[in-house]
Every structure is written in C-alpha cells, then in structure tokens.
Amino acid sequence: MTETTTMPGGAPRFAVPGRIAVSERAESTWQTATVTEIRRETPHAATFRLAVPRWAGHLPGQHLMLRLTAGDGYTAQRHYSIASAPDDSGHIELTLDRVADGEVSGWFHTVARPGDTIEVRGPLSGFFAWPGDRPALLLGAGSGVVPLMSMIRHHRARGLEVPLRMLVSARSPEELIYAAELGAETTPVFTRDAPPGCRWAG
C-alpha cells in the first residue's frame, strides 16, 4: 500500500517502498530561480546561491534539473546535486565544477552574474537521500562531495547526534571543495599533492 503525506507548501508526496518520499508535483514543474550570490570554492569550482520562492523543500542528497534557454530557443538541461541543507529560506545552493566545453557549467562560470535567471525542476530522486535518521559513512571525491555536504550541513544545523563521518578525496588542498567549512567529522585524502605532514596521501 502506498502512503500519501505532504511536502512543505502542501504539495503531495508518495512514499515508494525502498525510496524516500519525493513530491511528484515538484518533480514535474519548472520554476524560475534567480542567482543571488557566487562564491569561489576552488580554481575550478564555485557555489551559486539561487532564490527559488516556490521551492517545495528537499532532503539532503537530492538533486534537481536545471535548464538554460538561449535567445534562439535552444535549451540545455543538466542534473545537479543540491549542496545546501534543507531550510525555509527560499534559497538553494549548487556547487559546479567547470567542465571543459561544458555548455551549462561554462555559462555559470563565465557568464552568470547575480540577478540572472534560470529554470529549475525538483527536487528529484530519493534513493541517495539521507534525512539524518541513521548513522552514515560518506565517501566522495572531487565534486562528488556536493550532495554529501548537504548531509553534513543538515547534521550540523539540526544538532543531530546520530554518528556521521565523511572521507573525501581531492587531488590537492587547492582542489578540496568546502575546505574552510570541513570539520572534525571529515578526513581529507590527497591523491597527488598533499600538504606537509598529511597522514592520508597517495
């Protein structure tokens, strides 16, 4: 039997066996998001804060679909993990690596400015979501740390006592996304250039 509950904002969601509930209405509706802030994380990655007034809420680990439309009507769509913890601020954050010849990531890193608008749809998927209900060991490398950071931020914001640990790999300290924000729950591993005295390298 499928149990029906509601998401923030009143949108219905449906609990699927083996999957955390996701709003079907939010999954299918495009809405306008406005870039409000851009923060550099590494030489190749930046965080983009988006105002999404009708955002239905998300769970740590979920992602969204993003759509850019050119003046001639050409569109490009990509899936991106959500970096921010769930809250009611009406904002979400995405951290994007610049991909060589990437249409969407290239636009964000070279063209996007605060005030620009895009379209988003979501949140999507519940298979990778972690609401903070059980101990978790998080493993990520490079930009794979983005959805894990949503979980770390959620854990901190809610003051959860459930054990949470993260192992994150980067090529060098300069390429470690969120370096200034990582805490005692995180162990970084460097695969190419490690700082002097680092126990975890190679």
Side-chain angles (χ1 to χ4, degrees):
M1 183 176 71
T2 300
E3 178 183 355
T4 303
T5 57
T6 57
M7 290 281 285
R13 67 181 185 182
F14 303 92
V16 179
R19 182 184 183 205
I20 294 174
V22 178
S23 168
E24 290 190 347
R25 183 183 302 171
E27 284 185 349
S28 61
T29 303
W30 289 100
Q31 54 183 306
T32 300
T34 303
V35 178
T36 61
E37 181 186 354
I38 301 174
R39 302 193 309 271
R40 177 62 52 186
E41 301 286 353
T42 74
H44 305 291
T47 293
F48 300 85
R49 185 169 177 81
L50 308 176
V52 193
R54 295 187 293 111
W55 186 247
H58 66 280
L59 293 168
Q62 288 188 293
H63 65 277
L64 54 71
M65 177 75 83
L66 183 150
R67 181 167 68 187
L68 297 178
T69 303
D72 61 1
Y74 173 77
T75 62
Q77 301 181 36
R78 299 290 186 275
H79 289 270
Y80 288 114
S81 294
I82 301 167
S84 47
D87 59 31
D88 58 359
S89 68
H91 288 77
I92 55 175
E93 292 187 350
L94 308 177
T95 300
L96 279 59
D97 255 336
R98 184 175 182 181
V99 178
D101 299 322
E103 290 181 312
V104 176
S105 68
W107 180 87
F108 270 95
H109 280 270
T110 62
V111 177
R113 297 291 184 273
D116 288 341
T117 59
I118 57 175
E119 292 178 285
V120 298
R121 180 168 63 84
L124 304 172
S125 180
F127 293 103
F128 188 61
W130 180 79
D133 58 342
R134 66 198 67 186
L137 174 62
L138 313 179
L139 305 174
S143 60
V145 73
V146 174
L148 308 184
M149 199 61 200
S150 177
M151 300 175 191
I152 293 287
R153 289 167 169 164
H154 174 65
H155 189 270
R156 293 174 181 172
R158 297 295 179 92
L160 301 178
E161 296 183 358
V162 59
L164 182 68
R165 296 292 183 269
M166 179 165 71
L167 178 69
V168 59
S169 172
R171 294 180 177 181
S172 67
E174 292 75 22
E175 295 290 343
L176 181 60
I177 300 175
Y178 311 125
E181 194 177 342
L182 301 178
E185 76 283 308
T186 300
T187 298
V189 176
F190 302 104
T191 59
R192 296 190 181 178
D193 299 315
C198 178
R199 295 178 55 200
W200 309 104

